[in-house]
């Protein structure tokens, strides 16, 4: 046995797939002979908290800097991300051994050889389900529950354009193992995540925030999902002000927040920064008061990031 510690982590501003993929992959590595510990980059959001409580998991340990957390280094597997800006700070001191992801490849670079499994599916946990099956590993009931939750979350109960037949197929396998009714459990879970009643404007614009870079400029894009946009859009001006504070504090060229209505599958995109031309070019729609309404739009990865980065070029 080696005494190297092995960790699995999802991205900064963790979402349900990020935390549950770390739990599921750490368990798979452990079952296959490499004891591994899941960690996360920050506190679980409401949806993920609901999931962890429902299936009886403790909150994984939070790591904000690898050099401080593991001064002697260790092995690190990344799930649900690969871009350097989304990896927990100080990761250069760790030995990155693998990546399981379903996002675009950004600026990913390692010192040594690495196990990579990337597929253009709707959720990292879909790929992990396949890895369990390919390795003839049983999926424990409660692990299947959090894996299913992640697929429901990332595909918004199979409604997102990122959802593939493979996601549905793996979700149904997981539901059978977990003993969960996908529709009723899924709606309860999404409802728990869509409760924004106690969030400040600063919290709202930072929800599920990710950074992206293009042509030497960095932008942030957050996403908040709700079942009714009336209350949140009533304070659109205040939210744009909060975005501007976020943008200037971090020197971003722009900060965006997607306000996604899960039920009618639309997104209102708010932004700050001198990017009217970028937004107009990206979406070809009328912009008004730093916002643009995008029907049939739920996916940051597929429908927001590519047009915005494309328009920045
Ligand atoms: Mn994901």
């Amino acid at each position: 046995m080696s005494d190297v510690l092995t960790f699995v982590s999802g991205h900064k501003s963790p979402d349900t797939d990020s935390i549950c993929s770390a739990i599921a992959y750490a368990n798979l590595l452990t079952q296959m002979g490499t004891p591994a510990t899941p960690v996360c980059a920050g506190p679980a959001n409401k949806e993920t908290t609901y999931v962890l409580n429902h299936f009886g998991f403790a909150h994984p340990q939070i790591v904000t800097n690898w050099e401080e957390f593991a001064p002697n280094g260790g092995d690190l597997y990344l799930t649900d991300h690969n871009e350097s800006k989304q990896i927990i700070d100080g990761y250069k001191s760790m030995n990155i051994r693998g990546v399981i992801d379903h996002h675009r490849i950004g600026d990913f670079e390692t010192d040594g050889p690495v196990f990579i499994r990337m597929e253009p599916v709707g959720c990292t946990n879909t790929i992990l389900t396949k890895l369990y099956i390919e390795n003839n590993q049983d999926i424990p009931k409660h692990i299947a529950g959090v894996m299913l939750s992640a697929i429901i979350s990332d595909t918004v109960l199979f409604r997102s354009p990122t959802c593939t037949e493979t996601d549905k197929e793996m979700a149904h396998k997981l539901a059978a193992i977990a003993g969960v009714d996908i529709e009723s459990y899924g709606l309860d879970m999404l409802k728990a995540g869509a409760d924004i009643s106690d969030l400040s404007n600063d919290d709202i614009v930072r929800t599920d925030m990710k950074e992206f870079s293009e042509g030497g400029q960095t932008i942030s894009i957050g996403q908040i999902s709700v079942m009714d946009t009336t209350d949140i859009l009533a304070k659109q001006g205040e939210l744009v002000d909060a975005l501007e504070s976020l943008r200037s504090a971090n020197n971003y060229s722009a900060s965006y927040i997607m306000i996604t209505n899960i039920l009618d599958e639309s997104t209102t995109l708010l932004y700050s920064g001198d990017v009217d031309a970028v937004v107009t070019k990206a979406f070809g729609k009328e912009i008004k008061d730093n916002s643009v309404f995008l029907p049939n739009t739920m996916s940051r990865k597929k429908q927001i990031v590519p047009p915005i980065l494309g328009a920045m070029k």
Side-chain angles (χ1 to χ4, degrees), residues 150-171:
I151 298 178
I152 292 170
S153 171
D154 266 15
T155 67
V156 197
L157 251 179
F158 311 137
R159 287 173 168 88
S160 168
T162 58
C163 184
T164 67
E165 286 307 312
T166 312
D167 295 298
K168 292 181 196 166
E169 189 191 330
M170 296 305 140

Side-chain angles (χ1 to χ4, degrees), residues 196 199-201 204 230-240 270:
I196 60 163
L199 296 186
S200 69
N201 293 339
I204 289 172
T230 315
D231 291 347
I232 192 167
L233 290 183
K235 52 181 184 176
Q236 186 174 320
E238 292 169 37
L239 292 174
V240 171
L270 306 184

Side-chain angles (χ1 to χ4, degrees), residues 11 15-18 21 79-81 101-103 121-125 150 154 210 301:
H11 52 75
D15 61 7
T16 298
D17 188 30
S18 196
S21 60
T79 57
D80 199 35
H81 68 307
D101 193 15
H102 67 133
H103 293 91
V121 291
C123 180
T124 302
N125 275 278
D154 266 15
K210 292 185 179 176
K301 179 167 44 188

Side-chain angles (χ1 to χ4, degrees), residues 64-263:
T64 53
N65 187 301
W66 281 112
E67 284 165 32
E68 289 163 18
F69 182 79
N72 299 320
D75 286 349
L76 175 62
Y77 289 84
L78 307 178
T79 57
D80 199 35
H81 68 307
N82 70 81
E83 302 197 39
S84 61
K85 285 189 179 344
Q86 297 171 11
I87 305 175
I88 293 171
D89 291 343
Y91 69 92
K92 295 277 186 199
S93 65
M94 301 294 284
N95 184 12
I96 296 185
R97 298 293 304 276
V99 182
I100 318 288
D101 193 15
H102 67 133
H103 293 91
R104 72 167 195 161
I105 300 176
D107 55 356
F108 185 60
E109 190 177 84
T110 62
D111 295 329
V114 60
F115 175 82
I116 292 196
R117 178 71 175 258
M118 294 190 179
E119 292 188 29
V121 291
C123 180
T124 302
N125 275 278
T126 297
I127 305 169
L128 290 171
T129 309
K130 294 172 77 174
L131 283 177
Y132 272 89
I133 295 169
E134 289 165 16
N135 287 287
N136 293 310
Q137 294 292 313
D138 288 336
I139 305 177
K141 187 174 180 184
H142 292 111
I143 296 280
V146 298
M147 295 174 79
L148 170 66
S149 302
I151 298 178
I152 292 170
S153 171
D154 266 15
T155 67
V156 197
L157 251 179
F158 311 137
R159 287 173 168 88
S160 168
T162 58
C163 184
T164 67
E165 286 307 312
T166 312
D167 295 298
K168 292 181 196 166
E169 189 191 330
M170 296 305 140
H172 284 94
K173 284 184 201 292
L174 294 166
I177 298 168
V180 164
D181 179 90
I182 296 181
E183 279 295 320
S184 68
Y185 169 75
L187 279 176
D188 286 347
M189 186 197 94
L190 292 174
K191 209 174 283 173
D195 170 22
I196 60 163
S197 53
D198 62 348
L199 296 186
S200 69
N201 293 339
D202 286 337
D203 293 333
I204 289 172
V205 300
R206 282 171 176 75
T207 301
D208 193 15
M209 189 186 98
K210 292 185 179 176
E211 295 182 350
F212 300 89
S213 292
E214 182 63 61
Q217 297 191 320
T218 299
I219 61 170
S220 71
I221 308 179
Q223 182 171 27
I224 189 158
S225 297
V226 293
M227 296 212 174
D228 178 1
T229 53
T230 315
D231 291 347
I232 192 167
L233 290 183
K235 52 181 184 176
Q236 186 174 320
E238 292 169 37
L239 292 174
V240 171
D241 290 345
L243 277 173
E244 178 54 23
S245 307
L246 169 68
R247 188 198 68 75
S248 60
N250 292 281
N251 263 318
Y252 297 137
S253 57
S255 286
Y256 299 83
I257 181 74
M258 298 171 62
I259 298 169
T260 298
N261 184 328
I262 303 170
L263 295 183

